[in-house]
Every structure is written in structure tokens, then in C-alpha cells.
Amino acid sequence: MRLDKYLKISRLIKRRTVAKEIADQGRISINGKVAKSSSDVSTNDELEVRFGNKTLTVKVLKIVETTKKEESADMYEVVSEKFQQDFRKIGDE
């Protein structure tokens, strides 16, 4: 399955056009290699998605053509979630 379509169906990114733009900017890698929106995603691949301040790493568990919102989280497992600067802790001081 194409990377942009997987990101949309798994609901990691809400819109396929946004997924395509992010991938084409080089902000997504598959198994450590920079990926384009047309790259193929397979089960057991590790995706690293860089959103502004956050880097999300997920492992692909399964690939389906369509899914319900409640079941979309079953398509992947979050490996790590890193923040360059953690703004959540600023208000706690």
C-alpha cells in the first residue's frame, strides 16, 4: 500500500493530501530511509514521522484497505514519541 494512503487509513494523518505533502518534504522515513508518498508500506515496517516539534515512530502491524475509526489504531503500534522541547511541562513549574 502507498505510504500516503496508509497514513490516512490508519489515521496517523487525517488527510491524504497532507500525508503526501509531509512525505514529499522528506519528513517520513521507512526503516531508516527517507520515503516518498508513493513508497510501499509493508507489515513490520517501522515508520518515523516528523511533525514540527514531535517525532513519532510506529511499527506497522497490519494493512487493510478500509477501516473504522475505532479499529484504525490496531494497524500500528507506537514504538516511541519524542519531543524536541516538551511544552507540556512548562505549565507545571
Side-chain angles (χ1 to χ4, degrees), residues 43-90:
T43 53
N44 294 321
D45 280 350
E46 193 167 280
L47 304 179
E48 183 179 86
V49 184
R50 289 177 293 286
F51 303 97
N53 186 43
K54 178 171 103 173
T55 301
L56 180 67
T57 305
V58 297
K59 181 177 181 181
V60 178
L61 298 179
K62 67 179 181 179
I63 296 176
V64 292
E65 289 298 317
T66 59
T67 186
K68 294 180 179 167
K69 184 177 183 181
E70 300 81 29
E71 299 166 358
S72 62
D74 297 337
M75 294 179 66
Y76 61 89
E77 170 188 359
V78 176
V79 176
S80 71
E81 187 174 16
K82 298 180 212 153
F83 294 88
Q84 295 201 348
Q85 181 177 358
D86 198 345
F87 293 105
R88 297 175 299 177
K89 294 179 182 175
I90 291 174

Side-chain angles (χ1 to χ4, degrees), residues 27-45:
R27 292 168 46 192
I28 301 176
S29 55
I30 300 175
N31 298 325
K33 295 181 182 173
V34 175
K36 297 220 183 265
S37 59
S38 60
S39 299
D40 281 330
V41 176
S42 307
T43 53
N44 294 321
D45 280 350

